[in-house]
Each structure stands twice: as C-alpha cells, then as structure tokens.
Amino acid sequence: MPKIVDHDKQRRIVAEAALRVIRKSGLEHATVRRIAEEAGLSVGSMRHYFSTQEELFSFCMGLFVERVEERLENLKWEGPLVNDLKCMLLQFLPMDQERTLEMEVWFSFSAKTLIYPELKKLSNNMQDGMHKASQFVLDKLVANKLAKPGLDIDLETEKLYALIDGLAIHGILQRDRLMPDRIESIVEQHLRTLYFDVNQNK
Amino acid sequence: MPKIVDHDKQRRIVAEAALRVIRKSGLEHATVRRIAEEAGLSVGSMRHYFSTQEELFSFCMGLFVERVEERLENLKWEGPLVNDLKCMLLQFLPMDQERTLEMEVWFSFSAKTLIYPELKKLSNNMQDGMHKASQFVLDKLVANKLAKPGLDIDLETEKLYALIDGLAIHGILQRDRLMPDRIESIVEQHLRTLYFDVNQNK
C-alpha cells in the first residue's frame, strides 16, 4: 500500500521547521539543508513542498496571518467595547511565547525587505492586518458614537498603528524592560484617550 | 617624507563606507573585502583601523549616536516649548535622506540583535538616546508646569518612546504612505495631548 502523505500538513511541518531555524539562526541561514534537517526530511524531498525559498517564506508569513486571524476569530466580544478592542489589539503584541516568536521572525523579515524588495509583499499582509485593526478600532468607536469629539480619525489610525508596532518591537527587543502587563496598560490607557466615556466626561 | 595619515579620519572613512555597504547589501554581506573596496583601501590596510568586525560596527553605531547628538546640540530652543520638543523628537525620525539612511541601518542592526546578542550593546546607545529623549519631553513639561494634570509620567514616557520608534519604522518601511509631514503632524498632535495649554483649556 502506498504511503499517503497529506501534502498540506507536510507543508506546514516544513514551514514550522523553517520558522524555528529562522528564529535560531537568522533568515540568511535558513537554507534548504538546515530546514530539511530540522523538519526531519531529506533535502531532495523538500522540493515536493516548496519549489523556491521565496515560496516557503511566503507560506510562513501566511501561517502568521492565519494564526492572528484565528485568534481574532476566537475573541469573545462580551463588552465593554473598550475592553474588546484592547483584546483585539493585544493579538498583535508579544503577550506570550507564541506571539513573541511570531513577531521576532516577522521583525527579521521586515528588516530584510529593505534590502530584498521581493520580500516586501510577504510582510505586507501582516502590516495590512495591523493597519486594518487600528482602522477597525477607530471605526468601531465612531460607529458606536464613542469616539471623543474632535478626533482626527485618519491621524489617530496612523498613530495607533505606529504605537502598536513600536510596542511590539520594544516588547521583543527589550523584553526585560517592557513586560506584557505594561504593554497592556499602555494599550488600555491609549484607548481611553480615544474613548468618550459618559461616566468619566461629565 | 612619510605619509601622514589621520587615523581617526581614516576610521571615519571606513565606517562611512561600511554604512553604505550595509545599506546596499545588508549587514551579513558587509565583509571586510567589500568595505575595503567601497572605501578605496586595500584589504590588508583595513586591520590598521579596525581589528574586528564588531569593533567596526560598534564604531558605526557610535557615529549615529554622535550625529544625533550633534543635531540635538544644534537645535535652537526658541520656544514655544511644545515646538522645541517636537523638533527634538524629529531628530530620531526619518525626516530627510540622512536620517532615513541612519535608521535603515539601525533597523538592520536591531533585527540582528535577536540572533547575535553580542550586537545588543551596540544598539543600546541609540535606544537609550530615544528613551532619554522621551523622558526629557515629559520631565520638561512637568518642570515647566505644562504637563496635563493627572498624567502617568512613566507610562507616557514609555508610550512616547514606542510611538516614536513605531513612526520611525513605518517611515522607513512604508515611506510612500507615511511621509515626513505626516510624521510631524502625529508627533505634534501627540505632544498636544500631554501639554496643558492655558489658552486651549479654559
């Protein structure tokens, strides 16, 4: 009986191995040979799953986007809104080991896009996701008539996006100083500056 | 007559060449050979100036810090304070070609510190500078009794620091979208949220 290999499952195994290699040794050392070794596959079999390195990296970035989307889908929108929005934004921040690993690799990819423009589109998905999340926060506040009067929505969207990314980077590069609970307080405080709380604003 | 070579000047020439190579080809391709070529020197003479690659990179980061410090020293503090503080923060942002190049290389270094912890201390100087600038902004507002009542100074320092770094990164990675004038508006608007303006707050 021939061995039945789940092609998509194997691609995921290879991608997960690639992510571990990238995390450990950096993107430029993530060679086919090393990834095959990490995945427990032969170098020859690798090309069944990915024909180019770019295809593999693209798949890896896709995995991240998928994971973030999965976390977003699993969020319970139980209110109050400001709390739900905070939980959503925290999905893009290094709050636990899984998210930290994702962001570290994403950061390596981002630095590379300066030199290899062909990688640029790979990182755009994640960036788009973060930008959309910021947009979503502002839109939601406006739609619920909860945005502070006089807010410049476009500017606040851009600002929130930069703040989240800045916190993400400090959270991974300076994790001894910027702990997850501190990140959470800053996000919460920032949302409160956007939020028109009837009880607070007499 | 023996050729008199200004050692420090030559070190600078080598470092400037290194920065151009890093920007063009990435940190991992900044080999002694390529840097020598870019600087118009022989490979053999390179070791007169830097005995290890780490020493060279360290010197490069030192150059950045020096340049930022030089720009900070040349700032004219003419008031109003909120404007002066904005000008100071903009020294850390990709507002022109020079600052963009600095930040691109700094970003490459930062991504590398995840994998090569020995590089970590090299990037700390610049990070410290940014963090101190944020601290300075908040301290200055407090000292001049211009900070909005009820501000959490530590949290606002951390938040401003993350915002500036986030804007810096978006300014270099997404420069078509986030233009210098947009960056400036966001910094200005953010300062106004911290600033207790007697004329605005009746």
Side-chain angles (χ1 to χ4, degrees), chain A residues 22-29 103-108 110-116 120 127 130-131 151-152 154-156 158-163 165-167 169-170 172-175 177-178 182 185-186 189-190 193, chain B residues 22-29 103-108 110-116 120 127 130-131 151-152 154-156 158-163 165-167 169-170 172-175 177-178 182 185-186 189-190 193:
Chain A
I22 293 168
R23 174 63 195 89
K24 261 188 298 192
S25 324
L27 206 54
E28 66 276 15
H29 298 300
M103 276 154 215
E104 284 175 347
V105 178
W106 166 81
F107 189 53
S108 299
S110 298
K112 277 279 175 288
T113 62
L114 285 170
I115 306 150
Y116 306 109
K120 190 133 187 108
Q127 286 295 342
M130 255 196 226
H131 189 260
L151 280 191
D152 178 338
D154 282 353
L155 183 142
E156 293 294 351
E158 199 66 49
K159 183 178 164 184
L160 177 60
Y161 175 34
L163 178 65
D165 229 2
L167 288 173
I169 284 160
H170 292 176
I172 57 172
L173 292 182
Q174 304 172 47
R175 82 193 75 174
R177 212 174 49 78
L178 190 63
R182 187 73 170 153
S185 317
I186 296 174
Q189 184 271 355
H190 186 66
T193 68
Chain B
I22 293 168
R23 174 60 194 93
K24 262 190 295 189
S25 324
L27 206 54
E28 66 275 14
H29 298 300
M103 277 153 215
E104 284 175 345
V105 178
W106 166 80
F107 189 55
S108 298
S110 298
K112 278 279 175 285
T113 63
L114 286 170
I115 305 149
Y116 306 108
K120 190 132 188 109
Q127 286 295 341
M130 254 196 229
H131 190 259
L151 280 191
D152 178 337
D154 282 353
L155 183 141
E156 293 293 350
E158 198 66 50
K159 184 179 165 184
L160 178 59
Y161 175 33
L163 178 64
D165 230 1
L167 287 173
I169 285 160
H170 291 176
I172 57 172
L173 291 182
Q174 303 171 48
R175 82 193 74 170
R177 212 174 50 79
L178 190 63
R182 187 69 171 158
S185 319
I186 296 174
Q189 184 270 356
H190 186 66
T193 67

Side-chain angles (χ1 to χ4, degrees), chain A residues 39-66:
Chain A
L41 294 169
S42 71
V43 174
S45 72
M46 287 284 282
R47 68 179 65 100
H48 291 306
Y49 306 115
F50 298 101
S51 50
T52 65
Q53 205 183 29
E54 200 193 331
E55 198 185 312
L56 168 62
F57 288 166
S58 179
F59 189 84
C60 289
M61 294 305 281
L63 270 192
F64 288 167
V65 175
E66 239 178 57

Side-chain angles (χ1 to χ4, degrees), chain A residues 3 14 24 34 48 58 67 98 100 103 129 133 145 176 182 184 190-191:
Chain A
K3 209 162 91 183
V14 173
K24 261 188 298 192
R34 286 208 193 185
H48 291 306
S58 179
R67 282 186 200 166
E98 187 196 347
T100 303
M103 276 154 215
K145 298 193 172 31
D176 300 336
R182 187 73 170 153
E184 189 170 339
H190 186 66
L191 284 173

Side-chain angles (χ1 to χ4, degrees), chain B residues 12 19 60 70 78 82 92 105 195:
Chain B
R12 276 170 182 272
L19 295 181
C60 289
E70 204 177 285
E78 296 168 323
V82 68
F92 296 89
V105 178
Y195 190 72

